[in-house]
Amino acid sequence: MSTPKFPKPSEFAADTRVQLVEETGHYIFTDPSDGGEYEYDEAKGAWFPMWNESLVEQQQSIYGTEQDDDVVEEQESTKRKNKGLARKKENTSVYVSGLPLDTTDEEM
C-alpha cells in the first residue's frame, strides 16, 4: 500500500477527491487506488487515515482470532489459580522478642 499524493489546502476546492464534511468541518480525501479515506488536520497540516469497519477488521485479523483470545483467557485463569495455591503456604516461623538475656534453650 503506497502513500497517495495528497493535495495542498489551496487545491481542496478544485480536487474531486477532497470533500468537506459539513457536520465536522473537516476535509476528507478518498484515495482512488484503494478507497482509503484520510482526514485533514488543519492544526498539524497533515492527512491522517480514518478508521472504518474494514480497517478495524483488517487490524484485528493480524493479531489473531477469537479462539486465540479464549486460549489466552484460559491460560490467564490457570495462572491466577496457581498463584492462589502458592499463597496458601502457611508461615510456621515464630519470632519471640523481649526475653531476658539469661534465657536458655530449655526454657524456650
Side-chain angles (χ1 to χ4, degrees):
M1 186 167 129
S2 64
T3 305
K5 183 173 180 345
F6 295 110
K8 297 176 184 171
S10 61
E11 302 169 346
F12 288 175
D15 197 331
T16 59
R17 302 172 299 170
V18 178
Q19 302 160 354
L20 176 64
V21 178
E22 292 182 15
E23 293 89 25
T24 62
H26 293 248
Y27 287 97
I28 306 297
F29 172 80
T30 304
D31 184 10
S33 64
D34 65 359
E37 293 184 335
Y38 299 85
E39 183 176 25
Y40 185 73
D41 186 342
E42 292 181 27
K44 296 181 181 175
W47 291 96
F48 294 96
M50 293 183 61
W51 293 99
N52 58 29
E53 288 299 317
S54 64
L55 185 58
V56 171
E57 288 175 11
Q58 180 184 10
Q59 289 290 324
Q60 288 175 343
S61 70
I62 294 170
Y63 293 104
T65 63
E66 289 181 22
Q67 285 182 332
D68 294 339
D69 293 341
D70 292 340
V71 171
V72 169
E73 287 177 22
E74 203 173 296
Q75 290 172 346
E76 288 176 359
S77 68
T78 304
K79 286 180 184 177
R80 278 187 238 124
K81 287 178 186 175
N82 290 341
K83 283 184 180 179
L85 293 175
R87 288 187 203 148
K88 291 182 182 177
K89 279 187 180 178
E90 291 185 33
N91 185 359
T92 58
S93 301
V94 177
Y95 298 94
V96 180
S97 61
L99 294 175
L101 296 175
D102 60 349
T103 305
T104 62
D105 289 335
E106 288 179 10
E107 291 176 328
M108 285 293 292

